[in-house]
Amino acid sequence: MLNKEIIRIDKLPVLQPPGQQEEDSLVLEWYEVNRTKIKRETMSGRMIHLDKPTSTVLQQGTVIYQDDNFVVRIFIKPCTCIVLHSNDLELVGLFCFDVGNRHLPIYMIDDNKIAIAYDGKLFPALQQKYGSPVTLANYRLDPSQIVNCYGNIYEQQLRN
């Protein structure tokens, strides 16, 4: 049984070389990665109070805590997504415009797929407008995949 001591985190650790530490995960939904305060248990039952610095981007696998005994990493849960399969830039642009008007983040899954989190009212409208290139699938929406009109957020963090 784990000790219910609260692990308070206000900055990410300086990573040490991997050892024989136990791996643990803090599970987040795609929309929770931008929260500044997160209080919940890890998969192993450790209580975490994360007070995330504003410049920190949490993504899949980010180490938020490390000591001699265990390492806690971020795990972003996959979710149902509306996916556009296309390499036609005009179609992609129109789709992004329609989605962007709803202020939803758009994720680049690969060269021919973009995705947004599922919206029950938006999916039928997009499928009606764009047809078979619009489908549903499960993906992990990681901040490193966000399409941003001013450049990728992840790339901006790497430059700072």
Side-chain angles (χ1 to χ4, degrees), residues 11-35:
K11 63 182 176 182
L12 297 186
V14 175
L15 297 181
Q16 303 300 318
Q20 298 297 322
Q21 298 111 326
E22 174 190 343
E23 289 279 332
D24 199 357
S25 297
L26 182 65
V27 178
L28 300 177
E29 299 285 345
W30 68 270
Y31 54 84
E32 294 179 303
V33 296
N34 293 321
R35 287 189 178 166

Side-chain angles (χ1 to χ4, degrees), residues 20-64:
Q20 298 297 322
Q21 298 111 326
E22 174 190 343
E23 289 279 332
D24 199 357
S25 297
L26 182 65
V27 178
L28 300 177
E29 299 285 345
W30 68 270
Y31 54 84
E32 294 179 303
V33 296
N34 293 321
R35 287 189 178 166
T36 56
K37 296 187 185 296
I38 300 171
K39 295 179 183 183
R40 78 169 52 127
E41 288 186 3
T42 65
M43 293 289 288
S44 297
R46 293 179 177 93
M47 190 60 181
I48 299 286
H49 284 202
L50 175 62
D51 190 5
K52 181 178 72 91
T54 54
S55 64
T56 301
V57 176
L58 298 178
Q59 60 184 5
Q60 178 70 17
T62 299
V63 174
I64 59 169

Side-chain angles (χ1 to χ4, degrees), residues 47-118:
M47 190 60 181
I48 299 286
H49 284 202
L50 175 62
D51 190 5
K52 181 178 72 91
T54 54
S55 64
T56 301
V57 176
L58 298 178
Q59 60 184 5
Q60 178 70 17
T62 299
V63 174
I64 59 169
Y65 182 83
Q66 182 178 28
D67 68 13
D68 293 337
N69 300 315
F70 64 94
V71 173
V72 179
R73 296 180 188 276
I74 295 297
F75 178 85
I76 301 172
K77 285 174 54 173
C79 66
T80 303
C81 298
I82 300 170
V83 182
L84 174 70
H85 304 262
S86 181
N87 57 4
D88 176 352
L89 288 179
E90 184 177 344
L91 182 67
V92 170
L94 291 169
F95 182 88
C96 290
F97 178 79
D98 287 338
V99 170
N101 277 338
R102 294 180 181 253
H103 304 284
L104 296 172
I106 300 169
Y107 296 81
M108 180 69 85
I109 302 303
D110 65 32
D111 288 343
N112 299 323
K113 287 184 217 158
I114 58 173
I116 60 171
Y118 178 75

Side-chain angles (χ1 to χ4, degrees), residues 1 6 13 38 46 50 61 78 82-83 96 124 136 142-143 145 147 159:
M1 175 146 182
I6 296 172
I38 300 171
R46 293 179 177 93
L50 175 62
I82 300 170
V83 182
C96 290
L136 293 178
D142 191 284
Q145 300 169 313
V147 175
R159 280 182 260 167

Side-chain angles (χ1 to χ4, degrees), residues 93-156:
L94 291 169
F95 182 88
C96 290
F97 178 79
D98 287 338
V99 170
N101 277 338
R102 294 180 181 253
H103 304 284
L104 296 172
I106 300 169
Y107 296 81
M108 180 69 85
I109 302 303
D110 65 32
D111 288 343
N112 299 323
K113 287 184 217 158
I114 58 173
I116 60 171
Y118 178 75
D119 179 307
K121 291 181 179 179
L122 185 56
F123 175 66
L126 290 173
Q127 197 168 44
Q128 181 179 11
K129 183 170 183 176
Y130 297 101
S132 63
V134 175
T135 62
L136 293 178
N138 283 328
Y139 285 105
R140 178 176 291 116
L141 299 178
D142 191 284
S144 66
Q145 300 169 313
I146 289 178
V147 175
N148 187 314
C149 63
Y150 300 108
N152 188 302
I153 293 170
Y154 178 67
E155 290 172 3
Q156 289 175 3

